[in-house]
C-alpha cells in the first residue's frame, strides 16, 4: 500500500473496536527497529492497547482518508502516570508535564508527516490543558523519531533517562526529551 502525503488526515481518539488494528500497527512500526520478529514482553505490551488505554488519558490515531488508521500513540496529561515508578527515583520534576508513549506509524506511511501530525496534536493538547511542557522517552535506536522530536524543538532531558533489559538480556538505553512552553 503506497501512501502519499495528504491533507486528508484526521487526528482523533481511538475507538475500542480499533484497538487490535492499533496494536498491529504499533508492532509493525517497532519490529523494523529491533530487527527481529518476536519482541517478547515489549511486543505483547504494544499489542495490548486496551491496557495501554486504561493507563493513558487517550489513545490517539492518525486516520488517513482512503487508508484508515496509519499511526497512533498514547497521550498522558500527567507523564508521571506513564512511567514505571521503580525506574525513576524522583518524579517531582515531571509535575505539570504532559507526555506521550509508543508513537507508531505503519511502515508504509512513514516519512509522510503522520508522526509529525500526531506529535503536534500532543503539543497542542498539552498547551490547551495548561501543561508547562511535554516530555517523552525514546529508545536509543529510534533515531528517526528523535530527529523528528528535535525538529519540533524537543531537547534532551536526562532526568528521565534509564536503561532496561530486553528479553534477550541486552541493556537498552532510553533517552528523555522535553519541550517547554
Amino acid at each position: 500500500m503506497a501512501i502519499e502525503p495528504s491533507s486528508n488526515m484526521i487526528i482523533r481518539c481511538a475507538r475500542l473496536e480499533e484497538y487490535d488494528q492499533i496494536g498491529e500497527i504499533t508492532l509493525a512500526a517497532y519490529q523494523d527497529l529491533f530487527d527481529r520478529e518476536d519482541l517478547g514482553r515489549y511486543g505483547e505490551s504494544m499489542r495490548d492497547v486496551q491496557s495501554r488505554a486504561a493507563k493513558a488519558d487517550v489513545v490517539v490515531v492518525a486516520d488517513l482518508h482512503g487508508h484508515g488508521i496509519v499511526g497512533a500513540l498514547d497521550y498522558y496529561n500527567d507523564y508521571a502516570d506513564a512511567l514505571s515508578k521503580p525506574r525513576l527515583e524522583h518524579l517531582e520534576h515531571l509535575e505539570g508535564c504532559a507526555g506521550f508513549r509508543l508513537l507508531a506509524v505503519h511502515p508504509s506511511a512513514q516519512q509522510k508527516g503522520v508522526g509529525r501530525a500526531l506529535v503536534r496534536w500532543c503539543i497542542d493538547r498539552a498547551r490547551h490543558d495548561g501543561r508547562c511542557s511535554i516530555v517523552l522517552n525514546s529508545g536509543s535506536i529510534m533515531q528517526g523519531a528523535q530527529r523528528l522530536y528535535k525538529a519540533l524543538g524537543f531537547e534532551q532531558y536526562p532526568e528521565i533517562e534509564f536503561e532496561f533489559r530486553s528479553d534477550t538480556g541486552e541493556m537498552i538505553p532510553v533517552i528523555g526529551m522535553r519541550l517547554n512552553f
Side-chain angles (χ1 to χ4, degrees):
M1 146 173 78
I3 296 177
E4 297 301 318
S6 172
S7 61
N8 294 324
M9 187 177 357
I10 297 170
I11 306 300
R12 61 173 176 78
C13 296
R15 295 186 288 266
L16 182 62
E17 65 270 14
E18 297 169 327
Y19 285 3
D20 288 343
Q21 181 184 7
I22 294 165
E24 293 307 316
I25 288 169
T26 305
L27 193 62
Y30 282 73
Q31 276 178 324
D32 286 347
L33 293 170
F34 288 92
D35 282 337
R36 62 181 209 260
E37 193 71 24
D38 180 15
L39 298 181
R41 290 181 316 228
Y42 192 42
E44 290 170 17
S45 69
M46 286 181 206
R47 277 195 174 115
D48 187 1
V49 178
Q50 188 157 355
S51 292
R52 289 168 40 192
K55 195 173 180 184
D57 288 287
V58 64
V59 176
V60 182
V61 296
D63 190 340
L64 190 58
H65 180 71
H67 298 282
I69 297 172
V70 294
L73 57 73
D74 302 350
Y75 176 82
Y76 295 82
N77 193 47
D78 182 351
Y79 193 64
D81 293 342
L83 299 174
S84 299
K85 305 299 188 245
R87 273 207 187 118
L88 299 170
E89 293 179 13
H90 306 287
L91 296 178
E92 62 272 0
H93 48 78
L94 291 176
E95 192 170 317
C97 297
F100 63 90
R101 291 195 66 239
L102 291 170
L103 170 62
V105 177
H106 190 278
S108 65
Q110 292 176 2
Q111 302 295 315
K112 309 266 190 286
V114 175
R116 180 178 294 272
L118 285 162
V119 174
R120 283 189 186 274
W121 182 95
C122 293
I123 293 168
D124 291 346
R125 169 77 182 259
R127 282 185 174 139
H128 178 268
D129 289 348
R131 309 313 286 168
C132 66
S133 62
I134 188 162
V135 296
L136 63 97
N137 290 99
S138 180
S140 59
I141 62 172
M142 299 171 185
Q143 298 297 313
Q146 290 164 28
R147 281 191 299 275
L148 168 64
Y149 305 144
K150 288 176 184 173
L152 291 171
F154 284 82
E155 296 178 353
Q156 195 157 353
Y157 186 46
E159 290 84 0
I160 61 169
E161 294 181 353
F162 59 91
E163 288 186 321
F164 77 94
R165 186 176 306 281
S166 73
D167 289 343
T168 63
E170 176 186 5
M171 292 306 290
I172 299 177
V174 178
I175 67 163
M177 300 190 85
R178 181 175 181 143
L179 175 66
N180 292 319
F181 304 133

